[in-house]
Structure formats: C-alpha cells, structure tokens
Amino acid sequence: MGIFSRKGPSGFSASSTAEEVTKGIDGTGLIAIVTGASSGIGAETSRVLALRGVHVVMAIRNMDAGAKVKEAILEEISNAKIDVMELDLSLLASVRKFAADYNSSGLPLNILINNAGVGASPFKLSQDSIELLFATNHLGHFLLTNLLLETMKSTSRESNIEGRIVNVSSLLHPYGYREGIRFDKINDESGYNRYYNYAQSKLANILHANELTRRLKEEGVEITANSLHPGAIGTNITRHDSFLQCFFSVLGIFFSKTIQQGAATTCFAALHPQVKGVGGVYFSDCNIAKPSSKAKDADLATRLWDFSLSLTDAKQ
C-alpha cells in the first residue's frame, strides 16, 4: 500500500496505522462504544483505543467472538478497560435493549463509533421486515445514536469534553441507485441489486452524520458527527461476495489495506486533536475527502432522517 500513498495535510496517509495516528494521545477517562467489534476493523479499533487508555464497550452480535477479542486485548494490555455487550443492529428491539441497558448503567459516553455492517449480500428482510442491508448498516445505527444521544449530551456538558460520533461508510457510496435513497422501494425485491443496496446504505451513513451535525449545531451541543471511508480491506464483510474474496486473495497485496491501516481513519476521527470541532466531514486516509454530490445533498439528508424516524417509531 505504501507505494501508492503519500501523506496528506493531516500528516498521515493510506499506509498509516491506527497506532501511528493515535501515538502520544491520552484517552484516559474517555469511554467509547464500538459496534461490530468482534472482528476486523472494529476489533482493531477497540484494541488501539484501549491502548490509549479509553474505556471501550464492544457492542457485538457474537458474544463468544467478542469474549475472545476481549481476552486477546487484555493479554496484550493488562490494564485495559474492556466490556462486552450484546447488540444485533438488524433487530430494532436489540438496539433498544442495548441502549436502555447502557443508559441505565450510569456510565458516561464520549465516543460512539458506528462501525458494524454487512456487505453486498443477497436480498433478505430483517425480523422487522426491513431490507437487511439498510436495516443493519443504517437504520440500526440511526436508532442507536438517537437513543444514546442524551447520555452523550450530558457527558459533554458535565465533563466539558467534546463528544464524537463516527460513522464508517465506504468509497462505494456513490455507486448506488440514481435517486440515492429509494424511499418508496426500500423493500423492493424485484428491483434489488446487492451492490446498489450496499452503496445506498453507505450513502445513508454519510447523510446521517451530516444531518446530525446540523441538528447538534442548532442545539449548540459540543458533539461532532463525521463519516469516513476506511479503505479497501479484505475483512468478513466480503463473505457473501466470491468476486471480492478472489480480488483480495489475488490482488489485495497491491491495492488493499491491512486491518491496522483500515482502523486508522476511525481512530483518527475518534481521538485526534486535529478533528476537534470538526463536524459533517467525510474522511479518507485520515484526511478530509470529497464525498459524492448526493452525500452533500442537505434535502436528501433531512428526508432520510424523517424516513428513518418513521421506520423506527413504527417498530415500537
């Protein structure tokens, strides 16, 4: 990866690792939730945040896998503060239970990293009868963020420390449907294209962060929300796609990042002083990048917010 990368204005590049971009940063006293932390980027993000002193809550679907990641982190960092809590983002009831349990725990919350996701998979409805990619990659995180927001606000006020929300999106977000979000065809199996639907869900991640930023600024709340592309990485998210699996096995050495490099932009957005006060921005390779025109459409972002509210409210 190094021969294709050069440092940007931040001083980092595509070849920078999560440890490198957080070197010298003391996260002691901070607490972060990382979704999808049982493997890949989420596990590495959790490890590096713990290495910097952050108390990490791993929000995961597979509790056995999460326990193994926690054990591995504690073997390396004996004084790490790591908790594991069950969360299935495809189930709105699971999201509500997780948020209720967390909010009632009395723990503060400084950082929320919406990292979990599923790749371009065949058509399937969630148990809430919502197309699975949209339900997992966007709607679950949308609801989770809303339900944890009051805890983040109170933490920011009481600690006088800026809160940060980080949505992991994708460089593929422009390559979806022409209208961006198919509000009237979210569950349309006949017109389903798994690559377009994946792109749609990743576009939604950016639009969510942008609209959330607008609302937080209106309230005068010291919480930022940003989105990012982690890089091309051959993680478990490719398990439904034989083409991508083949690509990473054959050509990945030239074009893809390591897990350590893939977690860098997430950790940069979550911890680095350069990001203080920065909201509604899309990052790639630890530098500000330009998302698609659809991703910058404020009207589309507002419409998605209202649409997401209607779906989550309807599934009480």
Side-chain angles (χ1 to χ4, degrees), residues 7-314:
K7 292 181 179 179
S10 69
F12 303 112
S13 71
S15 60
S16 298
T17 66
E19 284 198 29
E20 290 169 350
V21 305
T22 58
K23 185 177 180 180
I25 296 175
D26 184 4
T28 304
L30 301 179
I31 185 163
I33 291 174
V34 182
T35 69
S38 60
S39 65
I41 295 173
E44 176 66 1
T45 297
S46 299
R47 185 188 72 83
V48 173
L49 292 183
L51 183 67
R52 303 309 176 208
V54 179
H55 178 175
V56 179
V57 177
M58 299 167 54
I60 56 166
R61 183 173 55 85
N62 187 330
M63 293 293 283
D64 289 338
K68 291 177 182 177
V69 172
K70 176 182 177 178
E71 182 181 355
I73 292 174
L74 288 172
E75 283 182 4
E76 177 190 349
I77 312 162
S78 59
N79 62 342
K81 294 181 178 179
I82 300 282
D83 291 315
V84 180
M85 292 179 63
E86 188 172 11
L87 172 64
D88 186 339
L89 284 156
S90 72
L91 301 176
L92 297 180
S94 176
V95 175
R96 289 194 175 90
K97 183 179 186 306
F98 175 93
D101 289 346
Y102 190 89
N103 290 333
S104 63
S105 72
L107 289 172
L109 182 58
N110 303 96
I111 303 165
L112 173 60
I113 299 178
N114 292 320
N115 164 80
V118 292
S121 53
F123 180 84
K124 185 178 180 180
L125 292 179
S126 71
Q127 289 187 28
D128 297 298
S129 298
I130 300 167
E131 189 275 312
L132 189 64
L133 292 181
F134 189 80
T136 306
N137 294 353
H138 165 66
L139 203 61
H141 281 131
F142 173 85
L143 179 60
L144 179 69
T145 303
N146 278 5
L147 294 176
L148 294 173
L149 205 50
E150 286 306 314
T151 295
M152 291 197 73
K153 288 177 182 179
S154 61
T155 299
S156 176
R157 286 192 300 266
E158 293 168 12
S159 66
N160 200 29
I161 298 173
E162 175 186 86
R164 297 190 184 183
I165 297 169
V166 181
N167 285 359
V168 178
S169 179
S170 171
L171 185 68
L172 297 175
H173 75 268
Y175 303 107
Y177 299 103
R178 185 175 57 183
E179 60 268 50
I181 307 293
R182 305 178 90 196
F183 295 104
D184 57 341
K185 297 180 179 179
I186 285 295
N187 293 338
D188 180 19
E189 183 175 4
S190 63
Y192 182 82
N193 179 300
R194 61 181 179 168
Y195 299 107
Y196 288 178
N197 271 58
Y198 177 76
Q200 173 180 249
S201 71
K202 295 288 101 180
L203 171 63
N205 294 150
I206 302 175
L207 292 170
H208 173 216
N210 293 351
E211 178 65 11
L212 183 56
T213 293
R214 184 187 70 78
R215 291 168 181 264
L216 291 169
K217 284 182 177 178
E218 280 188 354
E219 288 185 51
V221 179
E222 286 204 38
I223 299 174
T224 62
N226 294 296
S227 56
L228 63 91
H229 168 57
I233 306 149
T235 63
N236 286 343
I237 203 167
T238 65
R239 64 186 178 275
H240 295 296
D241 197 310
S242 57
F243 170 78
L244 286 180
Q245 288 178 335
C246 181
F247 171 85
F248 282 111
S249 65
V250 177
L251 299 176
I253 190 172
F254 301 107
F255 299 105
S256 68
K257 289 185 177 184
T258 64
I259 297 293
Q260 292 76 17
Q261 292 166 340
T265 306
T266 303
C267 291
F268 176 80
L271 280 186
H272 206 282
Q274 288 186 35
V275 188
K276 181 174 173 57
V278 176
V281 167
Y282 173 71
F283 291 96
S284 180
D285 300 332
C286 299
N287 287 278
I288 294 175
K290 291 183 178 180
S292 68
S293 58
K294 280 281 191 296
K296 295 183 287 185
D297 188 329
D299 291 336
L300 186 63
T302 301
R303 188 180 176 193
L304 174 65
W305 185 280
D306 292 340
F307 179 70
S308 302
L309 272 182
S310 70
L311 285 180
T312 53
D313 286 348

